[in-house]
Amino acid sequence: MTIFMFVLVVILFLFFSYQLYVRFQLESLDSDSPKMKRKINFYKYQENSRSLLFLMIAAIIFCLILFGVLYNQDSLRKDNKDLELKIEEIKDARGGASSGAEIESYKENTLKLAEFPWKKVVESRDAQALDNYELQLLRDWQPFFGEANVAIIISQKTETLTVSVFPTALTFSDFQTAGKNIETFIKELQPVKEITMIDFNFTYRDKTNKLSKQSTVYSRESKDGNLEKVVLDK
C-alpha cells in the first residue's frame, strides 16, 4: 500500500506539473487576430475543463486511498485486539492449569530413577554435558514437582553428587502432592550411591495464600549408607 501510494503521488505530481507547463504556455499565447483569439480562448477553456476533470478524479482517488488506509488500520487494530485477547486467554488458561491439580502423584519406578546415567554424570567434566543432564532431569521431574530448576554439583574428590531441586509457584495442594512424591523418589534413589545429598527447596502458597518456603534435605553419612532425612533448624 505504501509503495502504491508513493508511485501514485509521483505520477500525479508529474501529470500536474505537465498541466501547469501547458497552462503556462497557453497563458503566454496571444494574437491580434480576433479569430485566433477565439481559438486560443476555446483551447484554454478545454484545457481548464480537462484539468478540472483530472483534479476531481485525483481527489476521488485520494479519498478512496485514504479510506482504504483508514479501513486497513482499523482492521489491524481489531486483529491486534483479538490477538491480545487470545494471548490473555492463553495466559489465563496456563495460570489456571498451574494453580490447579497439575502435579501428578509419582508411582514407584515410573521414571526408573536408578537407571539414570548417574555414573556418567559423576565422570562428566564438560559443563555443557552437565547442563544437558540437568535439563533432562528437569523435563522428567516436572510433572511431579511443577516448574522447577535442577542443579547438580559434582565432587570430583569423592566422586559423588549433590542434587538440588527448586520447585516454584506451587499451590498448597500441589505442594502437598510434591511432598509425598519426594518420599517415593528417595526410596527409588537409595541404590544410587553416587548421590550423597539431595535437597528440595519449595516456594509455594500456604493455606492462607501467603508465599512460603520450605526445604527438605536427604543425605548419606557414607557412600554405603542410606539417604536419611536431615532435620533442619527452623
Side-chain angles (χ1 to χ4, degrees):
M1 179 65 75
T2 304
I3 297 175
F4 174 75
M5 287 184 63
F6 176 76
V7 172
L8 184 61
V9 168
V10 171
I11 292 173
L12 290 174
F13 175 77
L14 294 175
F15 174 77
F16 283 110
S17 296
Y18 172 75
Q19 290 295 313
L20 286 173
Y21 172 76
V22 171
R23 178 84 179 184
F24 178 78
Q25 293 296 321
L26 286 173
E27 291 296 331
S28 65
L29 293 176
D30 197 6
S31 176
D32 295 331
S33 170
K35 186 177 179 179
M36 183 60 68
K37 276 189 175 183
R38 284 196 300 270
K39 287 184 178 180
I40 292 173
N41 289 335
F42 179 73
Y43 189 68
K44 286 182 179 180
Y45 173 78
Q46 282 186 322
E47 284 299 318
N48 288 337
S49 299
R50 190 181 293 112
S51 298
L52 183 61
L53 177 62
F54 284 131
L55 185 61
M56 290 176 63
I57 293 173
I60 292 172
I61 291 173
F62 269 113
C63 288
L64 291 174
I65 292 174
L66 181 60
F67 176 78
V69 170
L70 293 175
Y71 178 79
N72 188 51
Q73 288 180 342
D74 185 62
S75 297
L76 287 175
R77 278 195 295 267
K78 288 181 179 178
D79 291 342
N80 289 337
K81 188 66 177 177
D82 291 340
L83 184 60
E84 289 174 3
L85 290 173
K86 287 181 181 178
I87 291 173
E88 289 300 322
E89 287 176 2
I90 292 172
K91 286 182 178 178
D92 291 342
R94 287 180 177 176
S98 62
S99 62
E102 180 184 272
I103 292 181
E104 304 173 18
S105 293
Y106 181 74
K107 293 181 176 56
E108 193 171 349
N109 289 322
T110 298
L111 296 177
K112 301 187 182 303
L113 297 173
E115 296 180 10
F116 190 82
W118 299 107
K119 188 172 181 60
K120 289 184 178 180
V121 177
V122 172
E123 295 171 351
S124 174
R125 298 295 180 267
D126 181 8
Q128 184 59 53
L130 184 60
D131 287 343
N132 291 337
Y133 287 128
E134 291 174 343
L135 288 173
Q136 186 175 344
L137 289 178
L138 178 61
R139 286 192 297 267
D140 292 344
W141 294 16
Q142 184 173 342
F144 310 104
F145 296 101
E147 294 291 337
N149 289 319
V150 176
I152 300 174
I153 299 175
I154 302 173
S155 173
Q156 296 180 0
K157 182 178 180 181
T158 60
E159 295 187 338
T160 58
L161 302 172
T162 296
V163 181
S164 296
V165 187
F166 302 88
T168 60
L170 297 179
T171 64
F172 185 67
S173 175
D174 286 342
F175 168 68
Q176 289 180 309
T177 303
K180 293 176 182 177
N181 288 340
I182 289 176
E183 299 173 8
T184 314
F185 265 60
I186 295 301
K187 182 180 178 181
E188 199 171 326
L189 287 170
Q190 287 294 0
V192 184
K193 300 305 180 181
E194 287 84 3
I195 298 177
T196 54
M197 181 178 289
I198 180 169
D199 56 273
F200 298 83
N201 306 278
F202 291 98
T203 301
Y204 67 100
R205 296 282 179 179
D206 63 16
K207 290 181 179 179
T208 63
N209 205 37
K210 181 181 177 181
L211 195 63
S212 304
K213 294 188 177 184
Q214 180 174 308
S215 294
T216 303
V217 181
Y218 284 80
S219 177
R220 305 180 198 268
E221 289 187 4
S222 66
K223 239 184 172 182
D224 296 327
N226 290 327
L227 286 166
E228 302 288 348
K229 190 172 184 179
V230 179
V231 179
L232 301 175
D233 295 332
K234 294 185 179 180

